[in-house]
Amino acid sequence: MAIADWPRSEQPRERLLTRGAAALSDAELLAVLLGSGVRGKDAVALGRELLQSGGGLASLMAGTEPPRMSGLGPAKHARLCASLELARRALGEELERGAPLLDPVDSAAYLKARLRDHPHEVFACLYLDNRHRVLGFEELFRGTIDGASVHPREVVRACMRHNAAAVIFAHNHPSGVAEPSAADRTLTLQLREALQMIDVRVLDHLVVGSGLPVSMAARGLI
């Protein structure tokens, strides 16, 4: 049965308009974005399949784009890509409103959304001023699934370009295991020593996996 044949009070769009978006399930919200289903599958069923294929809402939000699947044509795919990117940018905007970062949790959600589902390792940096307000974000280095080659000289140049007083590093582990490796610890110390030469402080290095990002500062590794 098509959603148009459901009782009007049960249709996702009508429920959203009368009761608010919070009243809808994840699949129903996706159905509103999709606009319509496909032959033999209504938009809510398509939303459920998308969530299942994408590994759940968190994985879908963190990924670079929604998974391609039967029935998800170019228009629907583009609409979802745009919606997910808007959500990721909203996370970033929270960091750019001038409030200082006082805790690893403040930046963890944003960094996880940006890095978690890359198929290869990516090393990124949040640049901060002397009050720990965000100046910018960059993905500096990309590698294979086995690791990224990070050059301290380039990190120093990037910090000078942003006129940063402090930085928070982050990189993902495509395996999903966020435990810092011995190489991660060595690299962090090398970068800290290099940045001390230009009076830039390394506040943290977050390792992003499938769960909560691991703060190396909280582990006492910086």
Side-chain angles (χ1 to χ4, degrees):
M1 180 186 297
I3 290 177
D5 297 325
W6 295 8
R8 191 172 179 82
S9 62
E10 295 181 13
Q11 295 176 17
R13 185 173 59 185
E14 298 306 320
R15 289 177 54 226
L16 184 149
L17 292 173
T18 57
R19 298 177 57 188
L24 274 63
S25 68
D26 294 343
E28 289 171 328
L29 288 170
L30 285 172
V32 173
L33 282 173
L34 292 168
S36 63
V38 296
R39 186 183 297 274
K41 191 181 303 179
D42 62 43
V44 175
L46 192 58
R48 291 195 191 101
E49 186 175 333
L50 184 63
L51 288 168
Q52 185 175 9
S53 298
L57 185 61
S59 293
L60 193 63
M61 285 286 298
T64 54
E65 64 174 47
R68 293 192 178 272
M69 48 185 278
S70 175
L72 194 64
K76 288 183 172 62
H77 189 263
R79 196 177 299 133
L80 284 172
C81 284
S83 300
L84 295 174
E85 180 59 24
L86 282 171
R88 283 190 285 267
R89 291 185 186 187
L91 283 173
E93 193 175 84
E94 289 296 318
L95 295 180
E96 295 168 3
R97 288 180 177 170
L101 298 177
L102 303 176
D103 189 277
V105 174
D106 294 337
S107 56
Y110 174 69
L111 292 168
K112 180 177 178 179
R114 292 296 297 262
L115 300 178
R116 173 184 165 181
D117 281 357
H118 280 299
H120 43 257
E121 195 161 311
V122 175
F123 181 91
C125 184
L126 273 175
Y127 305 98
L128 311 173
D129 67 11
N130 58 9
R131 294 177 60 187
H132 298 175
R133 296 174 300 190
V134 175
L135 297 171
F137 169 85
E138 276 187 308
E139 294 182 1
L140 290 175
F141 304 101
R142 294 188 174 210
T144 67
I145 196 169
D146 296 316
S149 180
V150 178
H151 305 287
R153 185 191 318 175
E154 296 304 318
V155 176
V156 169
R157 286 178 178 171
C159 289
M160 294 178 68
R161 186 171 67 251
H162 285 272
N163 196 27
V167 292
I168 294 175
F169 298 128
H171 77 281
N172 64 312
H173 282 178
S175 66
V177 179
E179 191 66 26
S181 67
D184 294 337
R185 297 193 291 271
T186 298
L187 171 64
T188 304
L189 294 176
Q190 290 174 344
L191 292 174
R192 187 183 69 176
E193 290 176 4
L195 291 176
Q196 282 176 343
M197 302 295 292
I198 58 170
D199 294 324
V200 174
R201 288 166 292 131
V202 177
L203 301 183
D204 205 348
H205 186 164
L206 295 170
V207 183
V208 176
S210 57
L212 293 174
V214 172
S215 163
M216 292 180 67
R219 292 276 189 93
L221 300 176
I222 295 179

